[in-house]
Amino acid sequence: MKLKINDVEFRYASTPIIENICIEVAPSEIVIICGPNGVGKSTLIRCINRILKPRNGGILLDGLEIKNMSMIEIARQIGYVSQSSSNVFPVTVFDMVLMGRRPHIGWRSSEMDEEKVVKVLKLMEIEDLALCDFNELSGGQQQKVIISRALAQEPDVLLLDEPTSNLDIRHQLEVMEIIKNLAAEKGISVIMAVHDLNLASRYADKVIMMKDGSIFSAGDPTSVLTHENIFSVYGVIAVVKNESGKPYIVPIRHRRQNEM
């Protein structure tokens, strides 16, 4: 399923947050959005999912405008993982992931739905947590459960807002590999916001670098993740090396006053 974002703009009152955002995501493609805090990465993801309504522009799924779709129709096609999870009512991990099936089945699950949940729990290597209370898990464990819930939806488009922020380095790589493989095998279009530029370099087909609410640079990791762009957007001097055909970023120091 092709996702197309045309000149999307969003603002709070008179304050613009994102402007003139244009992105196309093909099936099986992973697009990673990066940029400093406050540039509108999360806002853009929430606009795609219609949690927020853009002031201008259009978001299309296979040519159909998101704004003309019901929330249940959107939920059947788009999976969403937010930055963090607030405490919820007491619920087991199994039931939390089963909620991902709700857009397809309503409130009555079948044996097939439960089998899909088991499959996802095994894929994420958290089947041993199935009967645990979600609220009693660590932040990293909760994050893997929320990702599992989105995968249980079997979405055509997967939106992830800093999905690895609560994970240690091993689990970051594990989750990113799972997402990469699912995108390739299932034809899922993936958009995610990530702070770690080396993760972006390793896993993105396309990198969108944002600055001040707009797209500063877009393209493959090698063309976007340059020391010039990193300096201009982050104010950080970095060495960019090549590792197996991908850029590898080593930050050196932040920009000094006389370098502005």
Side-chain angles (χ1 to χ4, degrees):
M1 177 168 290
K2 188 172 183 178
L3 175 68
K4 190 171 184 179
I5 302 164
N6 288 328
D7 294 319
V8 165
E9 174 190 338
F10 181 85
R11 60 179 59 208
Y12 289 109
S14 60
T15 305
I17 307 299
I18 56 174
E19 297 181 289
N20 305 318
I21 303 294
C22 296
I23 303 172
E24 289 192 20
V25 191
S28 298
E29 189 173 34
I30 297 178
V31 174
I32 292 184
I33 305 169
C34 61
N37 293 332
V39 297
K41 301 185 297 295
S42 297
T43 298
L44 174 57
I45 286 176
R46 290 171 188 157
C47 284
I48 297 170
N49 204 26
R50 224 180 82 177
I51 294 172
L52 298 175
K53 294 183 180 181
R55 180 185 180 98
N56 290 307
I59 300 169
L60 297 90
L61 276 174
D62 273 358
L64 298 176
E65 279 276 8
I66 288 278
K67 65 183 179 182
N68 296 328
M69 299 169 65
S70 69
M71 295 308 293
I72 193 69
E73 289 174 321
I74 293 172
R76 285 173 182 156
Q77 298 180 65
I78 299 179
Y80 170 61
V81 177
S82 61
Q83 282 187 29
S84 58
S85 305
S86 57
N87 282 352
V88 298
F89 56 87
V91 62
T92 66
V93 167
F94 187 92
D95 286 338
M96 174 66 83
V97 177
L98 184 60
M99 291 178 188
R101 301 296 305 157
R102 293 284 155 75
H104 302 283
I105 64 175
W107 293 95
R108 189 181 296 273
S109 62
S110 67
E111 184 176 341
M112 181 191 71
D113 296 304
E114 293 173 359
E115 288 174 355
K116 289 180 183 292
V117 171
V118 171
K119 186 176 179 180
V120 170
L121 292 175
K122 288 181 178 179
L123 176 69
M124 296 294 289
E125 297 186 357
I126 55 172
E127 66 268 30
D128 58 317
L129 301 177
L131 299 180
C132 294
D133 187 327
F134 175 80
N135 292 320
E136 295 177 358
L137 302 181
S138 69
Q141 289 172 325
Q142 287 187 349
Q143 190 72 349
K144 292 185 77 172
V145 173
I146 296 301
I147 294 171
S148 299
R149 183 177 65 182
L151 296 180
Q153 284 179 243
E154 298 183 315
D156 297 306
V157 176
L158 187 58
L159 306 176
L160 304 111
D161 193 355
E162 298 183 30
T164 60
S165 59
N166 290 323
L167 304 177
D168 61 47
I169 188 169
R170 173 194 160 187
H171 290 103
Q172 286 180 5
L173 294 173
E174 176 187 287
V175 166
M176 294 297 287
E177 286 291 338
I178 289 170
I179 292 168
K180 177 182 177 181
N181 292 336
L182 283 173
E185 294 169 8
K186 305 290 187 181
I188 299 171
S189 303
V190 179
I191 297 183
M192 67 173 81
V194 170
H195 273 303
D196 189 324
L197 297 183
N198 288 311
L199 283 180
S201 172
R202 179 166 180 166
Y203 291 102
D205 297 305
K206 184 188 300 177
V207 175
I208 307 291
M209 185 176 282
M210 293 183 65
K211 180 181 180 182
D212 299 329
S214 298
I215 294 176
F216 180 84
S217 181
D220 63 84
T222 300
S223 65
V224 174
L225 299 175
T226 65
H227 69 270
E228 294 92 348
N229 285 349
I230 293 168
F231 185 80
S232 297
V233 171
Y234 291 90
V236 168
I237 295 172
V239 173
V240 180
K241 300 181 178 181
N242 189 285
E243 181 70 31
S244 302
K246 297 282 190 178
Y248 177 76
I249 296 92
V250 182
I252 305 300
R253 58 180 172 83
H254 66 82
R255 177 169 51 193
R256 295 194 179 110
Q257 199 68 26
N258 61 6
E259 293 173 318
M260 299 183 70

